């Protein structure tokens, strides 16, 4: 029983990280049709920014941790906004070229990160509480799991409130639904593009700082490895659906954790098989619209 | 070369698209491919003289490349030594293999409009499949290659059948996921078969002697040349066959193809499988040339490298894929030796760090090509060669852009 609880909470923590990456991907695909291969770089840069903050201000205080989260999210947001304004916007409506641009950006930035911070993983420390465990239903659970889960839940709540309650949120939802109609109403939908990209970048940067605590290290390849699972999550959840991304993040991460433990470390393959099954029986994803 | 180009333009002048490339003539045939047979026939006749010259030039280039190991030519700055030295031959052979791999990717992106991010899976299946079979079974090279091909055909059918349930960008994500599963499998080193991160050394016991060792690099060079010619011939044949025309038609307008009563799914699967099989063939020769399998050959990075080659050379053009593959490989090699040179080590950090990362420079170059040179190198060369006289600038650009957008 305690093993199941441990696997469950660890899976939720991993799912939280997937969600932080996948939410931005899914929203920007839903609204703009852009598949962003550089999204992993937003995450990696956020993680390194958080690490630099922790390194310079003493690693084990809660204030440092909060500051590193804020800086990580801000750096991710700035990088994303820059990408959208300088590179993506020029190729408006040419989706494949946008994908190619983000592929090039991802190549170039990962190489740059390797040049600056080296190719080896950099190990990271948080507040002392992170390395302790909490007893829950007989299972000893590492505390950093809870931080990821709480942060992802807050981000999900914030995004839902933003999308449902604010004017820009309405424009974004309407844009996902039918972009030409929004444009026909005289609304400059491009502002919403930049906004969605920035929000996605902030979530990815935040996810980067949390992922560095979850895994215990930062490396230039951190973003790329999470990005692939985020792709799988967005396809399974349904492209463009925030709720779908949330549900699929949890499902994929739990499948992965349980398969890794009970099926001899086959978690990654089970996830790909799940993807194949979803494609065979529901090509638009769990919560995606039928196309 | 310039004179023969002008000759072509003068001899085959009548039609409006006579100055276009063979590819654009093919596209003209493709959009009508299902409805009548006489129209492509006329196109072929008109492009006939031009095509003959092109093939002649291609044949001469192949003969010249075949003679290189016997000649003593130096290309300082491009090749590490005279052309007969193993180092230069190794690099040239690598260029030709990458060109062939890029051609197999062109089958997917340029012909059928499939933006796959999982092409490395088939290349890697060729590399690792052959390496593992040679390592574990006591059979000669050719049967081992046949067995690998058989496995790749099955793999490509299974993955293709599932991935092609979706199209466009979701297809890209799904193929990436499958390739990643392959990459993870190789990294896990199941039963010690793949060697994990270390890679796998080539077992030479059952190989013919003339393919083993540095002394025989020129045999491997000729083998690489043969593979490039073979892959080019197969890609050309498939592209101009009825199936190839239907594939281009599917790329341009899938709904119309379906209305005519053809099945886009099967055609796309066919192109996907042929592209995968060709990639695995190149992978097998790559294994022999490198005398070992490394995990990079099955990674997502390798697929992205192929994509970069095709886009750098010019999307939708076979010569573009070849040029892109050669150019990328040479540039990568040059940039790596630049990164380790003393001139770079002395620079301040702001310059030294970006310049010592070949992938940073290649990635930036790639972004610039996508933004400002959508026809790639071949498109730019054609425009430059024709000058401004005809007022048809940007045709290749438009063609490449159209091919890319059809993939979405």
């Amino acid at each position: 029983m305690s093993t199941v609880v441990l696997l469950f909470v660890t899976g939720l923590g991993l799912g939280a990280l997937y969600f932080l990456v996948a939410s931005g991907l899914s929203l920007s695909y839903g609204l703009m049709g852009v598949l962003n291969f550089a999204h992993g770089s937003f995450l990696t840069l956020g993680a390194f920014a958080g690490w630099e903050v922790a390194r310079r201000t003493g690693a084990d205080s809660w204030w440092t941790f909060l500051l590193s989260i804020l800086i990580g999210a801000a750096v991710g947001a700035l990088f994303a906004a820059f990408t959208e304004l300088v590179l993506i916007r020029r190729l408006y409506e040419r989706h494949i070229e946008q994908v190619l641009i983000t592929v090039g950006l991802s190549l170039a930035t990962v190489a740059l990160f390797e040049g600056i911070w080296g190719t080896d993983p950099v190990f990271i420390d948080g507040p002392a509480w992170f390395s302790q465990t909490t007893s829950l239903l007989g299972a000893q659970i590492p505390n950093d799991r809870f931080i990821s889960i709480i942060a992802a839940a807050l981000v999900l709540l914030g995004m839902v409130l933003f999308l449902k309650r604010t004017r820009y949120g309405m424009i974004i939802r309407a844009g996902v639904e039918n972009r030409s109609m929004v444009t026909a109403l005289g609304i400059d939908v491009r502002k919403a593009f930049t906004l969605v990209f920035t929000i996605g970048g902030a979530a990815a940067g935040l996810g980067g700082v949390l992922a560095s605590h979850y895994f215990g290290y930062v490396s230039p390849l951190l973003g790329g490895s999470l990005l692939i699972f985020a792709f799988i999550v967005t396809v399974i959840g349904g492209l463009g659906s925030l709720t779908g991304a949330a549900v699929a993040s949890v499902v994929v991460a739990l499948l992965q954790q349980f398969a890794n433990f009970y099926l001899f470390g086959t978690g990654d393959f089970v996830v790909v098989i799940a993807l194949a099954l979803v494609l065979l029986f529901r090509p638009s994803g769990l919560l995606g619209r039928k196309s | 070369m310039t004179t023969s180009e002008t000759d072509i333009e003068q001899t085959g002048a009548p039609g409006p698209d006579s100055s276009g490339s063979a590819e654009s003539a093919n596209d003209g045939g493709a959009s009508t491919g299902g409805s009548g047979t006489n129209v492509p026939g006329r196109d072929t006749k008109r492009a006939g003289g031009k095509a003959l010259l092109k093939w002649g030039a291609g044949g001469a280039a192949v003969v010249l490349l075949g003679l290189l190991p016997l000649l003593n030519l130096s290309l300082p700055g491009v090749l590490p030594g005279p052309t007969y030295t193993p180092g230069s031959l190794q690099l040239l052979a690598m260029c030709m293999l990458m060109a062939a791999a890029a051609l197999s990717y062109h089958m997917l992106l340029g012909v059928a409009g499939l933006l796959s991010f999982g092409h490395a899976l088939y290349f890697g299946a060729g590399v690792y499949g052959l390496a593992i079979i040679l390592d574990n079974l006591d059979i000669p090279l050719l049967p081992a290659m046949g067995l690998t091909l058989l496995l790749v055909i099955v793999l490509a059918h299974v993955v293709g059948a599932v991935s092609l349930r979706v199209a466009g960008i979701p297809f890209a994500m799904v193929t990436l996921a499958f390739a990643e599963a392959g990459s993870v499998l190789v990294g896990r080193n199941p039963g010690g078969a793949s060697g994990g991160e270390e890679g796998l050394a080539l077992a030479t016991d059952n190989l013919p002697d003339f393919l083993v060792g540095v002394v025989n690099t020129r045999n491997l060079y000729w083998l690489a040349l043969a593979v490039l010619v073979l892959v080019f011939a197969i890609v050309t044949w498939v592209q101009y066959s009825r199936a190839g025309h239907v594939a281009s038609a599917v790329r341009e307008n899938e709904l119309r193809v379906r209305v005519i009563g053809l099945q886009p799914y099967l055609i796309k699967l066919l192109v996907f499988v042929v592209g995968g099989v060709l990639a695995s063939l190149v992978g097998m020769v790559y294994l022999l040339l490198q005398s070992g399998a490394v995990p990079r050959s099955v990674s997502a990075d390798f697929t992205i490298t192929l994509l970069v080659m095709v886009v750098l050379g010019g999307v939708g053009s076979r010569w573009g894929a070849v040029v892109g593959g050669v150019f990328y490989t040479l540039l990568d090699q040059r940039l790596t030796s630049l990164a380790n040179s003393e001139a770079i080590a002395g620079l301040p950090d702001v310059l030294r760090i970006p310049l010592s990362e070949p992938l940073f420079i290649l990635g930036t170059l790639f972004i610039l090509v996508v933004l400002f040179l959508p026809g790639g190198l071949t498109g730019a060369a054609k425009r430059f060669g024709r000058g401004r006289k005809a007022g048809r600038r940007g045709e290749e650009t438009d063609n490449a852009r159209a091919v890319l957008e059809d993939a979405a």
Side-chain angles (χ1 to χ4, degrees):
Chain A
M1 180 60 198
S2 65
T3 317
V4 174
V5 174
L6 178 63
L7 287 175
F8 186 77
V9 178
T10 306
L12 277 185
L14 189 60
L17 296 179
Y18 290 165
F19 171 73
L20 288 174
V21 189
S23 54
L25 274 180
S26 195
L27 274 184
S28 59
Y29 182 84
L31 183 66
M32 310 155 66
V34 178
L35 173 64
N36 184 9
F37 268 85
H39 209 71
S41 292
F42 301 166
L43 183 144
T44 313
L45 190 63
F48 273 117
W51 174 72
E52 289 282 355
V53 168
R55 194 171 63 109
R56 275 148 213 262
T57 53
D60 60 345
S61 95
W62 278 94
W63 290 113
T64 303
F65 176 67
L66 284 180
L67 186 66
S68 70
I69 278 191
L70 281 179
I71 299 274
V75 166
L78 278 178
F79 187 15
F82 170 83
T83 307
E84 205 280 331
L85 289 173
V86 177
L87 296 173
I88 309 275
R89 179 162 287 190
R90 298 161 162 273
L91 297 170
Y92 182 61
E93 280 295 303
R94 295 208 291 267
H95 297 143
I96 297 290
E97 281 165 74
Q98 288 174 332
V99 173
L100 297 182
I101 287 278
T102 63
V103 166
L105 185 65
S106 146
L107 274 183
T109 49
V110 169
L112 196 61
F113 297 156
E114 288 185 344
I116 298 174
W117 285 291
T119 46
D120 295 330
V122 186
F123 295 97
I124 194 162
D125 288 318
W129 185 75
F130 279 18
S131 44
Q132 295 160 8
T133 55
T134 302
S135 187
L136 185 76
L137 297 173
Q140 296 294 320
I141 293 159
N143 288 331
D144 50 35
R145 291 355 179 209
F146 297 114
I147 297 287
S148 308
I149 297 170
I150 293 167
L154 287 178
V155 168
L156 176 62
L157 189 71
M159 280 189 178
V160 169
L161 285 179
F162 171 76
L163 288 175
K164 300 257 168 174
R165 295 290 167 83
T166 63
R167 183 181 151 74
Y168 266 105
M170 270 164 62
I171 294 177
I172 291 169
R173 277 191 298 144
V176 172
E177 207 63 43
N178 187 338
R179 194 176 50 216
S180 40
M181 184 57 97
V182 175
T183 318
L185 288 171
I187 297 167
D188 184 6
V189 84
R190 285 186 302 176
K191 273 188 197 141
F193 287 0
T194 316
L195 196 62
V196 160
F197 236 74
T198 312
I199 293 174
L206 172 65
V209 178
L210 294 174
S212 65
H213 285 287
Y214 183 96
F215 296 114
Y217 69 89
V218 195
S219 94
L221 301 175
L222 182 67
S225 52
L226 276 172
L227 185 68
I228 288 176
F229 286 105
F231 282 160
I232 296 178
V233 161
T234 46
V235 174
I236 290 185
L239 284 158
S241 159
L242 193 65
T243 336
V247 173
S249 301
V250 174
V251 170
V252 165
L254 286 180
L255 262 181
Q256 207 178 0
Q257 288 295 324
F258 279 93
N260 267 339
F261 189 80
Y262 289 109
L263 300 173
F264 324 107
T266 49
D268 297 350
F269 303 103
V270 169
V271 167
V272 173
I273 292 169
L275 172 74
L277 290 177
V278 168
L279 284 176
L280 284 174
F281 297 108
R282 239 190 118 79
S284 55
L286 294 178
L287 295 175
R289 280 170 298 162
K290 293 249 161 61
S291 55
Chain B
M1 193 60 215
T2 328
T3 49
S4 67
E5 281 282 336
T6 43
D7 279 351
I8 298 163
E9 299 221 347
Q10 280 159 3
T11 47
D17 62 341
S18 63
S19 61
S21 60
E23 277 73 28
S24 65
N26 167 39
D27 281 348
S31 51
T32 53
S35 56
T37 46
N38 56 341
V39 180
R42 200 188 61 202
D43 273 357
T44 326
K45 200 173 176 185
R46 182 158 14 102
K50 188 182 157 189
L52 205 64
L53 269 174
K54 254 193 169 173
W55 286 109
V62 168
V63 171
L64 179 67
L65 280 173
L67 289 175
L68 273 188
L70 309 173
L71 300 175
N72 182 1
L73 300 175
S74 287
L75 275 174
V78 179
L79 293 177
T83 46
Y84 65 86
T85 54
S88 296
L89 287 178
Q90 172 90 12
L91 178 59
L92 285 170
M94 189 55 74
C95 287
M96 293 191 294
L97 287 184
M98 288 304 112
L103 269 171
S104 75
Y105 192 76
H106 159 79
M107 279 284 287
L108 301 186
L109 182 62
V111 179
L114 298 170
L115 181 68
S116 164
F117 274 94
H119 204 55
L121 184 61
Y122 310 101
F123 184 85
V127 174
Y128 272 97
L130 185 61
I132 292 172
I133 288 172
L134 284 175
D135 218 20
N136 294 303
L137 302 180
D138 193 22
I139 52 176
L141 181 62
L142 282 179
M145 288 178 84
L147 189 58
T148 313
L149 275 185
L150 205 66
L151 291 174
V152 171
I153 291 173
V154 174
L155 176 73
H157 271 102
V158 172
V159 175
V162 175
S163 320
L164 286 168
R165 301 270 299 171
V166 285
I169 285 176
F171 175 79
M173 296 159 97
V174 171
T175 47
L176 177 69
F178 278 111
E180 189 58 20
S183 178
V184 168
L185 183 66
V186 164
R188 286 280 175 80
N189 193 11
S194 71
E197 294 298 316
E198 308 272 299
L200 200 59
L202 176 63
T204 50
D205 307 342
N206 287 316
L207 292 185
D209 285 338
F210 65 90
L211 290 179
V212 181
V214 180
V215 206
N216 289 317
T217 306
R218 65 180 186 181
N219 292 333
L220 288 167
Y221 169 88
W222 281 319
L223 184 62
L225 178 62
V227 165
L228 175 58
V229 172
L230 178 71
V231 170
F232 194 92
I234 293 179
V235 170
T236 311
W237 175 57
V238 172
Q239 197 171 348
Y240 286 90
S241 68
R242 287 178 62 87
H245 283 142
V246 178
S248 330
V250 169
R251 189 191 75 217
E252 285 176 9
N253 192 335
E254 182 161 347
L255 189 62
R256 270 173 74 182
V257 174
R258 201 173 289 161
V259 168
I260 291 167
L262 297 165
Q263 297 202 19
Y265 181 82
L266 292 179
I267 293 293
K268 284 196 278 188
L269 186 59
L270 175 78
V271 173
F272 189 86
V273 172
V274 173
V277 166
L278 291 181
S280 76
L281 183 70
V282 179
M284 287 185 236
V285 179
Y286 178 88
L287 170 75
L288 297 176
L289 183 70
Q290 295 287 75
S291 45
V294 284
R296 204 193 104 76
S297 60
V298 64
S299 67
D301 280 356
F302 185 73
T303 305
I304 289 177
T305 308
L306 292 179
L307 175 66
V308 171
M309 288 171 184
V310 168
V311 173
L312 276 183
V315 178
S317 143
R318 285 189 307 277
W319 287 108
V322 173
V323 168
V326 172
F327 178 75
Y328 182 97
T329 313
L330 284 177
L331 196 63
D332 190 31
Q333 206 268 348
R334 284 291 94 195
L335 286 175
T336 309
S337 57
L338 174 78
N340 298 324
S341 70
E342 290 186 4
I344 293 291
L347 290 172
D349 275 1
V350 186
L351 287 174
R352 183 183 57 82
I353 291 176
L355 286 180
S356 59
E357 294 291 336
L359 273 179
F360 175 77
I361 302 175
L362 286 167
T364 313
L365 179 70
F366 179 66
I367 294 178
L368 293 176
V369 166
V370 174
L371 281 179
F372 301 112
L373 213 62
L377 293 173
T378 47
K382 269 182 192 159
R383 242 176 316 169
F384 184 72
R386 198 164 48 232
R388 262 170 282 174
K389 59 172 183 183
R392 289 169 65 95
R393 292 167 60 112
E395 183 192 319
E396 282 76 24
T397 307
D398 292 346
N399 186 31
R401 281 223 158 116
V403 170
L404 278 179
E405 273 329 295
D406 289 336

